[in-house]
Amino acid sequence: MRLVNWRRWLADDRTLTEQLRLQLGHVGSSVVPTLLLAPLLLWTLVNARNAAWLTAWCAAIVLIKLFYAWDAERTLRIDLATAHPHRVVVRQMVLNAIDAVAWGALAWVTLDDSSVAGSILVVAVLAGVAGSSMASLAPVLPVFIAFALFEFAVVGTKLWLLGNPAYQALGIAGVLYIATLMGQARSSARAARAAIDLRFENLGLIEQLHASAAEAQAARLEAEQASLAKSRFLAAASHDLRQPIHAQGLFLEVLARTRLTTTQYDALANARATWQASAEMLDTLLDFSRIEAGVVEPRLQPFQLQPLLNKIENELAPQADAKGIVYRSIDTEVVVQSDPALVALVLRNLVSNAIRYTRRGGVLVACRRRGGQAVLEVWDTGIGIDPSQHQAVFREFHQLGNAERDRRKGLGLGLAIAQGLARTLQQELTLSSRPGRGSVFRLSLPVAPLGTLARRPAPTPVDAQGFDVRVLVIDDDESVRTGMQQLLTAWGCQCDVADSIEEALTLARIHVPGAVISDYRLRGQRTGAEAIAALRAECGEALPALLITGDTAPQRLREARATGVPLLHKPVLPAQLHHGLQCVLHRVELDSNFALLENLPRTTSASL
C-alpha cells in the first residue's frame, strides 16, 4: 500500500500530533506484561527441538519491546508538531510491523512440535496480542493496520503451510477476527479523533473568550480612564471658572448698592442675568459632581407634597407661559417620607426638561397613590423619546435635538442628576414615552404613616439686615478677597483679608476675628480646613467658620464634607453668603446638601 493511500486516513497535523501522543503514551503500559509473558511462554513451550529458537525469540521480543518503549519516550520528549508527524507515523508503522513479525514468529517456532494444549496457548496469546494492540494502537489507525496485517500474514502463512484442515480453518477464522478488530479500531480511531477535535474546539472557544475578556477589560479600562480624565477636566475647568464668576458676583452686588442712572441699572440687570445663567450652569455641574462623590445625604422626614408642587409651579409656570403652553398641577393631600429638598430638585429638573421639549400642548404634574407608594408623575405633550433612547437620556451630557449644543437648552445633566438623586433616595425613576406623543416620568416615594406629620419648628430668628462682627477672609485669589472685603464692609462687618494661613494667624493675633470665611483650596497644597483648625487653636474652638470651595472633583468634595465645617460652593450668591454667615454666627444648622437652600431665592437681588 502506497503512502499516498493511507495518508487519506490521517487528520491534519495538529490533530495527528495529539493522536500520536495518545498512542505513544500507551507503549509504556505494555512493557511489563511483555517482560512477564515472553519468559512464561519460553518456560511453558520449550522442548529439546525448539529450545534455541524459542530462547532467541524470547530475547528478540524483550529487546524489541524495550527499544520500542525507549523510542516512544524519546519521541514524546520532542515537539511532534515540528517533527513532521507523518514521518513519525511511518516510523511507528515500521516498528510495529517488526514487533508484529516477531510475535508472529512464535507460531513458526512452536507449532510444528507442540502439544494441542501448547498450540491452543500459542494461538490464544497471538490473538490476545492482536486485541491488546488494537486498544493501544487504534488512535493512529494505519499503525494498527500495519501491526495486524503483518502479524496475521506471518501467523496465517504458518497455519496454512501446516496442511492440517483444523489449522487452515483457524487461519480463516483469523481473517474474520482481524477484520473485526479493524472495524473496532476504526470506530475507536474516530472516537479519539472526535474527542481531540472537540478539545481543540473548546480550547479555541476558551481562547476567544479570553481574547474577548481581554478586549472588554481593555475597553473598560479605557472607558474608566476617559471618565476619569473627563471628571478631572470638568473639576479643573469648573474650579477655574468659578473663581472669576464668584468674584464677579461679589462686585455686581457691591455695584448694586451704589447710586446708578436708569441706563446703568439696566446694564447692571443684564450683567446680573448673564452672571446668573453662568452660575446656574456651574451649579448644575456641582450637583452632578456631588452625586458622583456620594456626599449627598438624604434627610428623611414626613412632608406634604402639595406645598412643594405649588412652589415648583410658581417657579416654572412663567417659563411655560412664555412658550405658550399650559402648566397644570393636580392638588394632592398625600404625605410622603423622604427628603423634601432632594425631591424638589428631582421634580424641578423633570418639569424644566418637560417644558424645554414641549412646543404645543402642556405639562401636567400629578400624584397617584398606589398602595404604600405615592407616584409623582410629570406628563408632557412634547417631542417624545424613541425606545432606543430611553436609557441614553439618563446619561450625563446626553441631549436630544441639540446637536449644536445651544446653551439655552442646558448641559444635558438634568435627567442624570434626577436619576442619581432617585438612587440616593433609594427610589425608582422611570420613563414611558412614544415619539411624537410626549413622555411621562414617574418617581415613586414611600407614603408616610398616618399621624407622623408634625409641625416643623420655626427657624431661629436671625438678623436679616447687617452684622456687627469682625470677619477674617482667607483666599489666595486677589479679586475674590477684594470683592469679599467690599461686600462684607457694605453689610456692616469689619473685614480683614489674608492669602495664606500664616498671614491669617498674624492678623488674628492683632485683631481677634468673630468669624472666619476661608476658601478650601489654598496655596502650597494647604486647605481651608487647616486654616480654620489653626485659627481655632489660636482663638478658641468656638470660632464660627465657613468654607467656600470652587472644587467639584468627587475626592475634594468628600474631603471638604468630612471637615464638618459648613460648606458653600462658588459662585456663591450674596444672599447665600449672607444666610450662611447668619447661620454660623447664631449656631443654626446650615443645610449643605446643595448650594441652593430650600427657601432661598435663586437671585442676586434678594433682600439682604
Side-chain angles (χ1 to χ4, degrees), residues 397-433:
F397 304 108
H398 184 88
Q399 287 182 300
L400 300 176
N402 191 20
E404 70 280 8
R405 303 303 296 178
D406 185 351
R407 69 174 180 83
R408 291 173 298 178
K409 296 182 179 180
L411 296 174
L413 286 174
L415 293 181
I417 291 173
Q419 188 178 63
L421 291 174
R423 285 196 298 264
T424 300
L425 292 170
Q426 298 183 351
Q427 299 301 319
E428 184 179 17
L429 177 63
T430 61
L431 162 66
S432 298
S433 182

Side-chain angles (χ1 to χ4, degrees), residues 368-402:
R368 302 174 186 268
R369 182 161 180 169
R370 295 179 180 173
Q373 294 286 313
V375 182
L376 265 176
E377 298 178 339
V378 178
W379 297 76
D380 67 66
T381 58
I383 60 175
I385 302 172
D386 189 87
S388 63
Q389 295 289 318
H390 281 193
Q391 295 297 323
V393 294
F394 289 103
R395 294 202 302 263
E396 61 268 25
F397 304 108
H398 184 88
Q399 287 182 300
L400 300 176
N402 191 20

